């Protein structure tokens, strides 16, 4: 990319915007199955960030990274062994084990042989996914925050803003949602919002008067959040030089986009560590289980860590619902939109939105990266 020695040095100078996350272990499209994750990085800086944001000691952070690497591989094998009896799975940080839910009739010995712990449940993942899909077809009022399948509870969870729970339109939505299958209701403090921001200084990309963050390097460009710009919109880098244009963009319904790169800019398979940790190489896109630790890089709040809370969640922004999102306990703020979520050295997704901030805490959702690559036929740039 373009740079001046006064403003960028070293590897960080190669970044298009300042946030990159990991991608698939092979430089191939997301249509190909992700490779097993490479050894999880355990630099002193990464361990320090996990200690800060997850409240872990150094030894516990090291042990967790190793256990999560194993759980990612086990999850894929256990799901195959469970077949139609598969009810979902989650990583338990306390035990360091992956738990796999199965319905009666499952070949429990085959599932257990993968190394997973088994829990017997009533509903299969397919049954719960079907119930969620029927809720997706409903029109949600502003007081409904999101909904997702919770494998641990073996139910579909509908989150509502606490102050709006008694609204007639919210109660009507919940009544229709309960007709779709096993549904439970939880409260959230605030409604979700996207994390784009007006023009400010930093290490951003700009489109119009909006600042967002780059997600992942792909062959010929980068992926980011769809709400940051519409197809055809011009994109400018941190130094205000022209990068390229949005070649595809979807928001709402989805929240993803990709931008072509040219005019002296280039791509690198790197996530910016912002001095908190060394810049991270992208080596794969193996999907981390629920419960895994995960970190985010963005142009406003830089490097932040947390855990994966839920997958395939529908988020009800004021602009409309966005589907197939992953929820995390990582905080974010305006300008972080589009930035990278990474687990170990494996890409997970691009920042979409959330609630709260990095002073008081909150939750943030991302759009999974493999879905974006499949949608646009892109090839991930990996180290």
């Amino acid at each position: 990319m373009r740079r001046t020695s006064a403003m960028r040095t070293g590897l960080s100078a190669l970044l298009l915007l300042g946030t990159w996350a990991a991608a698939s272990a092979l430089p191939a499209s997301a249509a190909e199955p992700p490779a097993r994750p490479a050894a999880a990085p355990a630099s002193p800086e990464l361990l320090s960030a996990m200690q800060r944001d997850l409240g872990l000691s150094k030894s516990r952070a090291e042990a967790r990274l190793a256990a999560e690497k194993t759980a990612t591989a086990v999850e894929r094998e256990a799901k195959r062994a469970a077949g139609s009896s598969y009810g979902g799975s989650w990583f338990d940080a306390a035990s360091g084990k992956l738990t796999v839910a199965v319905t009666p009739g499952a070949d429990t010995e085959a599932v257990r042989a993968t190394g997973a712990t088994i829990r017997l449940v009533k509903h299969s993942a397919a049954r719960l996914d079907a119930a969620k899909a029927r809720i997706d077809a409903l029109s949600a009022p502003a007081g409904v925050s999101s909904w997702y399948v919770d494998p641990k509870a073996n139910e579909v969870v509908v989150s509502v803003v606490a102050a709006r729970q008694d609204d007639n339109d919210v109660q009507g939505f919940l009544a229709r949602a309960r007709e779709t299958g096993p549904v439970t209701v939880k409260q959230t403090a605030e409604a979700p919002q996207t994390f784009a921001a007006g023009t400010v200084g930093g290490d951003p990309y700009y489109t119009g008067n909006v600042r967002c963050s780059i997600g992942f390097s792909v062959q010929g460009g980068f992926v980011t959040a769809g709400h940051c710009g519409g197809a055809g919109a011009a994109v400018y880098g941190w130094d205000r030089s022209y990068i390229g244009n949005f070649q595809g963009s979807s928001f709402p319904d989805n929240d993803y986009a990709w931008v072509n790169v040219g005019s002296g800019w280039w791509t690198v398979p790197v996530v910016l560590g912002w001095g908190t940790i060394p810049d991270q190489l992208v080596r794969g896109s193996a999907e981390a289980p629920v419960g895994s630790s995960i970190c985010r890089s963005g142009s406003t709040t830089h490097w932040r860590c947390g855990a994966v809370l839920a997958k395939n969640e529908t988020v009800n922004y004021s602009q409309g619902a966005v589907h197939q999102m992953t929820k995390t306990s990582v905080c974010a703020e305006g300008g972080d939109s589009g930035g990278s979520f990474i687990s170990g050295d494996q890409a997970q997704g691009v920042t979409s939105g959330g609630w709260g901030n990095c002073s008081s805490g909150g939750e943030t959702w991302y759009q999974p990266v493999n879905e974006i690559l499949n949608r646009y036929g892109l090839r991930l740039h990996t180290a």
Side-chain angles (χ1 to χ4, degrees):
M1 87 181 230
R2 295 184 185 276
R3 55 181 171 169
T4 61
S5 59
M7 299 182 69
R8 292 292 184 277
T9 59
L11 183 57
S12 298
L14 300 178
L15 297 175
L16 292 175
L17 151 48
T19 47
W20 296 90
S24 33
L26 297 174
S29 72
E32 299 174 1
R36 288 180 181 273
S43 68
E45 295 86 357
L46 175 58
L47 296 174
S48 177
M50 292 180 70
Q51 289 175 256
R52 178 196 66 192
D53 293 339
L54 296 173
L56 301 175
S57 66
K58 179 182 177 182
S59 61
R60 287 178 62 198
E62 290 174 328
R64 180 160 176 172
L65 285 172
E68 288 173 354
K69 178 193 171 189
T70 299
T72 297
V74 168
E75 183 179 46
R76 183 168 55 251
E77 297 171 4
K79 184 175 181 179
R80 185 184 304 113
S84 61
S85 295
Y86 180 70
S89 55
W90 59 93
F91 175 77
D92 179 55
S95 67
K97 299 290 186 179
L98 182 80
T99 298
V100 175
V102 296
T103 56
D107 186 347
T108 55
E109 291 306 313
V111 177
R112 190 173 287 112
T114 67
T117 299
I118 293 177
R119 177 181 294 182
L120 190 65
V121 295
K122 182 177 180 180
H123 307 291
S124 68
R127 167 75 177 87
L128 296 174
D129 287 343
K132 179 186 174 292
R134 287 190 285 272
I135 299 176
D136 284 344
L138 303 176
S139 178
V144 176
S145 174
S146 65
W147 51 96
Y148 64 98
V149 171
D150 184 345
K152 196 170 185 178
N154 200 226
E155 294 179 310
V156 180
V157 176
V158 179
S159 299
V160 299
V161 180
R164 305 290 296 276
Q165 183 166 351
D166 294 331
D167 291 359
N168 290 337
D169 55 353
V170 172
Q171 288 299 310
F173 178 88
L174 293 177
R176 295 191 297 275
R178 290 187 177 102
E179 293 173 357
T180 69
V183 168
T184 189
V185 178
K186 291 186 178 180
Q187 293 184 350
T188 186
E190 301 176 27
Q193 60 183 346
T194 57
F195 285 127
T199 300
V200 296
D203 193 13
Y205 77 82
Y206 299 93
T207 178
N209 67 342
V210 172
R211 173 170 63 85
C212 282
S213 301
I214 284 174
F216 303 99
S217 177
V218 299
Q219 300 301 323
F222 64 85
V223 294
T224 187
H227 71 262
C228 291
V235 174
Y236 299 88
W238 55 267
D239 62 353
R240 298 297 187 149
S241 66
Y242 173 72
I243 294 177
N245 295 77
F246 279 86
Q247 299 299 302
S249 180
S250 178
F251 179 78
D253 187 26
N254 307 293
D255 194 5
Y256 50 60
W258 84 279
V259 175
N260 70 313
V261 168
S263 303
W265 292 71
W266 62 87
T267 64
V268 288
V270 170
V271 178
L272 187 63
W274 294 98
T276 301
I277 68 167
D279 295 345
Q280 300 291 289
L281 289 175
V282 174
R283 298 192 185 278
S285 63
E287 187 177 338
V290 169
S292 298
S293 63
I294 193 167
C295 297
R296 179 192 57 72
S297 183
S299 61
T300 298
T301 57
H302 299 171
W303 186 267
R304 301 284 176 164
C305 297
V308 177
L309 301 179
K311 296 184 180 182
N312 191 24
E313 184 159 1
T314 300
V315 180
N316 191 36
Y317 294 126
S318 61
Q319 299 94 331
V322 176
H323 303 92
Q324 297 179 313
M325 303 270 268
T326 297
K327 179 166 64 180
T328 77
S329 62
V330 186
C331 68
E333 296 179 9
D336 287 328
S337 279
S340 18
F341 267 90
I342 184 171
S343 182
D345 57 9
Q346 302 294 302
Q348 301 299 310
V350 300
T351 304
S352 174
W355 62 270
N357 55 53
C358 289
S359 296
S360 60
E363 295 174 336
T364 302
W365 286 270
Y366 65 79
Q367 188 91 67
V369 66
N370 287 332
E371 179 185 358
I372 308 172
L373 300 176
N374 279 328
R375 169 63 180 81
Y376 294 118
L378 300 170
R379 294 174 61 87
L380 207 53
H381 189 173
T382 56

